[in-house]
Amino acid sequence: MSETLYTLAQPCRHQEEIKKSRFLALAAPVDSGEQALAFVREVSDPAATHNCWAYRIGQDYRFNDDGEPGGTAGRPILQAIEGQGMDHVVAMVTRWYGGIKLGAGGLVRAYGGTAAECLRRAERLPIVAMARLAVHCEFAVLALLKARLKDWHAEVASEVFVTDGVELELRLPESWVTEAQAHIVDLSRGRSRAKRLD
């Protein structure tokens, strides 16, 4: 998939009233399924009629209808996350029943629509694919190399001094890998190489 995915810059919320039922969407950025489930536990309202949720983290996803008819709540929330081009996100829509039945189609629109509107209004951050490079360089080249890190949007993940130089692990955006590898060879006059670790 070449299109850019986004995550949330911070937790967000959106509330709607649909046929006397109140729907509150809460969403947050997450890095693991455990973190997503902790968010679900934290924001669930035991006094509400339903606390329906979904999360997507790469290929890992889950959703829950919390007593609503199967496929009318959790899956539409997951589809809202995907439809907004989001990843590493958990969303919960809590419903307080207002006395008017919405029917299956109405529930799908209410849960999916409330979640989608919450995500649409939220501040987004692009998810940048990162790579790791292993570099062995001589002591004399280390300062030059470190001075160029900002040009490649790279950071030093680890640095180990050995007898003949320094072993570095660099973390940088995928899109800068080829250029960084070429510059490392140039800076060291061919004596250093940057090898992909992932």
Side-chain angles (χ1 to χ4, degrees), residues 41-120:
R41 284 190 299 275
E42 181 185 322
V43 301
S44 288
D45 182 347
T49 317
H50 303 281
N51 291 286
C52 305
W53 54 268
Y55 71 77
R56 172 171 289 290
I57 301 160
Q59 297 303 309
D60 180 23
Y61 66 90
R62 279 182 64 189
F63 56 87
N64 187 303
D65 294 318
D66 190 36
E68 291 284 28
T72 62
R75 184 172 290 281
I77 296 169
L78 178 62
Q79 289 168 336
I81 293 169
E82 293 168 341
Q84 291 297 315
M86 303 290 252
D87 197 359
H88 288 256
V89 168
V90 60
M92 171 178 280
V93 179
T94 300
R95 178 188 186 193
W96 291 268
Y97 183 62
I100 298 174
K101 294 193 175 201
L102 300 179
L107 290 172
V108 168
R109 287 189 295 278
Y111 281 102
T114 305
E117 189 61 23
C118 179
L119 297 172
R120 193 173 11 260

Side-chain angles (χ1 to χ4, degrees), residues 21-22 40 47-48 52 86 93 99 107 156-157 168 174 186 190 193 198:
S21 282
R22 186 162 57 104
V40 166
C52 305
M86 303 290 252
V93 179
L107 290 172
V156 176
L168 297 170
E174 180 82 37
D186 290 348
R193 296 264 186 269
D198 41 19

Side-chain angles (χ1 to χ4, degrees), residues 24-37:
L24 172 64
L26 299 166
V30 288
D31 290 318
S32 69
E34 295 77 29
Q35 200 178 357
L37 294 174

